[in-house]
Structures are given as structure tokens and as C-alpha cells.
Amino acid sequence: MTLIKSISGIRGTIGGKVEDNLTPIDAVKFAAAYGTWIKQQRNKKNYKVVVGRDARISGEMIQNLVMNTLVGLGIHVVDLGLSTTPTVEVAVPMEHADGGIILTASHNPKQWNALKLLNAKGEFLNGTEGQKILEIAESDSMNFSEVDVLGKITKNEAYIDLHIDEVLDLPLVNKKAIEDANFKVVVDGVNSTGGIAIPLLLERLGVHAVKLYCEPTGHFPHNPEPLKEHLGDLAQAVVNEHADFGIVVDPDVDRLAFMDETGEMFGEEYTLVACADYVLSKNPGNTVSNMSSTRALRDVTEKYGGVYEASAVGEVNVVELMKKNNVVIGGEGNGGIIYPELHYGRDALVGVALFLSLLAEKKMKVSELRATYPNYFMSKKKIQLTPELDVDGILSTMESNYSHEKLTTIDGVKIDFADSWVHLRKSNTEPIIRIYTEAPTQESADNLADRFITEIKTIANI
């Protein structure tokens, strides 16, 4: 396994050889490169970086390596301990810090970990900044501090509560309506930090939370990507508990999906659609999601008179276009809600609060709410990268083969047909080619994805 270095961070599997996997030496090297970059941004006496992690098994080891590397550079560290990605993002500006690092491999299995890097605004680094850190890491030009000016580590475990305070202070979070609705919700925290944060948020909102896999042990009880095929236990619990709905998050709590009262998925793509519906009904405006997200957000946005635009995949790309278009809400179709009034980062906590507000005001079941939105069906498949796969060549051939259709090539190749679309791209976070399709029925979406998998294999002669 080769280390994956992208705008989404530095990630790899634990163990193995240096430069092939995320070993302790690699963690130290990239933390040192990031700390060096931080010090290059401004010439000042004291520097501060916020560090937090999800509950995966390697997290404590990697966090200690990262924090003490920063200390060796003379940088002070605020240690959030077990935390969430959006909590660290919120903490950076609250601490007036120079940056932040989140130790998480998001939805990847337990053997993975990663360093996600933030700037002084608590936002992910852009491509230019990320490339500079990679260059520093390869140059071995880091200059560590002398003994009298080493950094210090300060522990602060209050930030999940502070993050929840910030969410509850948002004007559109209808706390009274939520409390009056007397909701009962099952929470699948995949044995990571969502099992801490989401029940705490629900308790503050007067929601009865039934906890499922909410012990932050890092032993994921199922594949941590919040997709239907991984969530049989949640479906059963929702039905058995006679709950109003179910909530599932990924290990670092930036992705959010719902399950209706019958144990059926609300649809990960429709998390953003529902939250946008609520926000736009109160504050009409523009929206942004990435190119692999459902057309339903476009439809809801236009219903309220706004303009929808799609960005390249990757949170930093979504945020950049959101700022450019003065967007009121945006995110990614994988269940990532970005609500700028709080911060420019995917945040499952704010997504839960907005969804509960919508449901409480609508006074309808989750299944009934889902039926009010346009019905699109998506298929998400992938092809493992191998040495014989020339991804750039494959995408170039696809572009030529479909030049008569509406094409977008800012991120791989997206082909828009009259009633469907397909998006082909190399993943930022895994050694795979992703194939996303959307169509009027699930069967047609699956068939479209299978057709393009066959075409890719034909082009690559495999």
C-alpha cells in the first residue's frame, strides 16, 4: 500500500515499511513538515496548533507522535483528545490557533489512519498549501527548536460541549419545536467519537437517544462507511425500539445519514437535500455540492429561487465555490453538511440539529418527508487501481468517446445524459477509480454503472 498524499490529507495503513504505509516515521515527518509550514506563514513568538482524533485503535499512538513532533518545533499544542473533525475545525479559531490536525481516516476501515491538516480558519488546506507541505517533507529541511523554547501540550476536553453550544445558538435550530416533538432516535456511533458527540447533542435538544455502538473503542462493528448494506443492526434497532428514526455517522463525524421509522434508508444523498430544504425555506439563496452528488439539491434550490452549482470532489473545492457563490448551505452528497453560519466544514452535528428542526416543524414521519423530494437513484461502484490501469488515458478515451454529450472535466469526467449521469474519477482517499451514476430507477443506475465498468475494462484490456 502506497501512502496517499492529496488535498484530503496524508493517509495510509498502519504498520509495514516507511514510505509504503503510515508508519511512526511517516507520521513524524509529515507532522514536522506541517509545523514547519505553520511557522513559515507568520513570524511570531508563539505558535499554537489544535490536535484531536477519532477513536480508531492507532489514534493515540499517532496523536502522541504528532503532538510531540510539534512540541519539538517549538509549537504549543491544544490536545482535544477524542474529538470529531468538525469539533477540531470549530476549535481552531476559538483558540486563536495557527492551525489544526485531525487524526482520522474518516470512513476507511480500522487499519487506516491519516493526518487531516487545517489552516488558521479551521478549514482544510488548498492544493497549493498541501503541495508545499509535501515539498517540505521531501526536502528534510525541518529545523527543530532548542531545549529552552520547546512547545507545551495543554489538554482541553471541553470542545465537544463548546461545539454543541455553538450549534444550539444557531437561529435556525428550533430547540423548542424539537423538544416538544418528543423524538426517540437510535444512534449508531460505529464505536467512535460520534457515539460521544451525537447523544450529547440529542440530550441537549430533549431527544431520547437509544445508543447503538456508541463506546469509543475503535473496534468498528461494521464497515464504517454509512451505507445501507452496512446498517442491518441499526435498521433492526429502529424497528424494535419503535423509534422515530435512526442516525448513523462515520468515525470522525463529518458524514451523516438517516434511517426512517421503518428501517429504510432516508438516503445519504438526501441528508443535504433535506437540510438545504429547511435552511432555504427560511433563508433563500444559492447552494453548492460536488459533481458526484444528486440532482435533487439543484431541484430544491431552484424551488426557492436560488442557483445551484457543482464543484470538483473534495471538501476544499466545495468550500472554495461556496465562498465564491455566497452560498447559504452546501456540502457533499455523501452526507456532508456545510453550514457557513457555523463554519466552513462538513459537520454531522449541525446536520442533525437542522434535520430535527425540519422534522419537528413539518410534523411528519421521516418516510413521509422523504416522499416530498424528487426521486433519483444512485449507484456508487469502484475499480481497484492496478499497475496496468492508466487512469488518465482511460478518462481521456471516455472524453473522446462521449464528446457528443454534455461533459464536465474539472474532476475526472462527468457525462450528463437527458435523464441520468455518470461521473468517473480517481479517488483522493483510496487507490480506486470511482464510478458514480444517477438515474430515474435503481436498476437503471446500477446498469449504467456496470456498463461503464465494462467500458473501462475494455479500454484497459483487462
Side-chain angles (χ1 to χ4, degrees):
M1 174 59 65
T2 302
L3 274 178
I4 299 174
K5 309 166 188 177
S6 75
I7 60 174
S8 296
I10 313 300
R11 72 176 62 200
T13 51
I14 298 299
K17 297 181 179 179
V18 176
E19 294 285 348
D20 283 346
N21 302 73
L22 185 58
T23 69
I25 291 172
D26 294 298
V28 168
K29 180 170 76 169
F30 288 110
Y34 172 73
T36 300
W37 176 81
I38 286 287
K39 294 174 74 172
Q40 290 175 353
Q41 302 312 296
R42 284 186 293 177
N43 185 14
K44 51 190 286 197
K45 183 176 181 181
N46 293 310
Y47 298 88
K48 184 194 293 187
V49 170
V50 176
V51 181
R53 63 182 174 91
D54 70 14
R56 62 186 62 233
I57 298 165
S58 62
E60 186 175 7
M61 174 191 73
I62 297 293
Q63 183 171 7
N64 285 329
L65 290 165
V66 165
M67 290 194 304
N68 284 295
T69 300
L70 296 174
V71 166
L73 286 162
I75 296 172
H76 299 305
V77 174
V78 181
D79 172 13
L80 303 194
L82 288 171
S83 192
T84 77
T85 286
T87 301
V88 178
E89 292 170 349
V90 167
V92 169
M94 291 179 74
E95 282 286 336
H96 304 288
D98 300 284
I101 301 178
I102 310 144
L103 291 315
T104 174
S106 192
H107 63 276
N108 292 116
K110 68 177 183 179
Q111 62 267 33
W112 288 78
N113 213 328
L115 283 67
K116 290 186 175 182
L117 309 176
L118 305 175
N119 62 22
K121 296 179 181 179
E123 299 168 13
F124 286 115
L125 306 187
N126 62 36
T128 301
E129 293 165 335
Q131 183 58 41
K132 179 62 178 176
I133 289 167
L134 295 180
E135 291 171 1
I136 294 170
E138 295 308 316
S139 70
D140 288 329
S141 61
M142 291 78 85
N143 187 14
F144 290 88
S145 296
E146 296 181 4
V147 67
D148 291 328
V149 287
L150 295 175
K152 291 182 172 59
I153 298 174
T154 304
K155 200 166 185 66
N156 188 334
E157 296 180 337
Y159 266 102
I160 287 179
D161 287 317
L162 294 173
H163 182 186
I164 291 171
D165 288 342
E166 294 293 305
V167 170
L168 297 182
D169 285 343
L170 293 168
L172 291 192
V173 175
N174 193 335
K175 298 183 287 293
K176 185 177 187 308
I178 295 169
E179 187 171 356
D180 290 347
N182 196 29
F183 289 120
K184 182 180 184 181
V185 178
V186 181
V187 180
D188 182 347
V190 74
N191 283 344
S192 190
T193 50
I196 301 171
I198 301 298
L200 283 174
L201 170 66
L202 294 176
E203 180 183 342
R204 297 277 298 278
L205 287 166
V207 175
H208 175 51
V210 178
K211 297 180 183 180
L212 177 67
Y213 306 133
C214 285
E215 292 296 323
T217 63
H219 292 282
F220 305 146
H222 55 76
N223 186 309
E225 190 165 11
L227 302 177
K228 178 180 180 179
E229 56 266 32
H230 308 148
L231 301 175
D233 290 350
L234 177 61
Q236 184 175 1
V238 169
V239 174
N240 290 347
E241 292 286 343
H242 303 287
D244 293 289
F245 64 99
I247 294 172
V248 60
V249 293
D250 65 341
D252 68 324
V253 204
D254 61 359
R255 289 176 64 171
L256 170 67
F258 300 111
M259 184 169 282
D260 74 19
E261 74 283 358
T262 72
E264 290 296 319
M265 292 299 294
F266 186 77
E268 191 184 28
E269 289 288 327
Y270 284 81
T271 301
L272 176 56
V273 174
C275 291
D277 183 26
Y278 177 68
V279 171
L280 295 173
S281 72
K282 311 287 186 181
N283 181 23
N286 301 329
T287 64
V288 162
S289 63
N290 68 41
M291 292 168 57
S292 292
S293 301
T294 179
R295 287 176 172 176
L297 181 61
R298 176 201 64 186
D299 296 348
V300 168
T301 304
E302 292 175 353
K303 179 178 78 171
Y304 292 106
V307 175
Y308 165 79
E309 190 172 352
S311 77
V313 174
E315 185 172 321
V316 66
N317 298 316
V318 176
V319 167
E320 182 180 356
L321 189 57
M322 286 178 67
K323 290 178 177 179
K324 177 182 175 183
N325 291 6
N326 194 28
V327 159
V328 295
I329 188 169
E332 297 188 289
N334 59 12
I337 307 300
I338 303 176
Y339 188 45
E341 189 156 341
L342 181 60
H343 69 118
Y344 277 104
R346 295 183 301 172
D347 190 331
L349 278 74
V350 77
V352 167
L354 294 173
F355 186 81
L356 283 166
S357 299
L358 172 65
L359 202 62
E361 292 189 10
K362 291 277 190 180
K363 293 183 170 64
M364 59 173 57
K365 294 179 179 179
V366 172
S367 60
E368 295 170 340
L369 177 65
R370 176 63 182 83
T372 66
Y373 298 125
N375 230 5
Y376 297 109
F377 295 85
M378 291 193 72
S379 182
K380 301 179 180 182
K381 301 192 177 184
K382 52 193 175 185
I383 296 176
Q384 197 73 26
L385 289 185
T386 56
E388 64 268 24
L389 279 181
D390 174 13
V391 179
D392 292 337
I394 289 169
L395 296 178
S396 178
T397 301
M398 285 291 184
E399 186 178 347
S400 297
N401 291 348
Y402 289 92
S403 59
H404 55 288
E405 302 286 353
K406 181 182 177 182
L407 297 177
T408 308
T409 57
I410 60 171
D411 182 9
V413 176
K414 183 174 183 180
I415 307 164
D416 273 291
F417 303 106
D419 64 348
S420 61
W421 55 260
V422 60
H423 186 198
L424 313 168
R425 61 182 295 274
K426 185 177 179 180
S427 173
N428 291 331
T429 59
E430 297 178 71
I432 58 174
I433 298 175
R434 294 192 183 276
I435 301 98
Y436 292 104
T437 61
E438 186 171 65
T441 68
Q442 190 62 60
E443 182 181 13
S444 56
D446 289 338
N447 289 342
L448 186 60
D450 289 339
R451 172 186 140 192
F452 273 87
I453 289 173
T454 299
E455 288 194 31
I456 289 171
K457 290 182 176 179
T458 299
I459 293 168
N461 292 317
I462 57 174

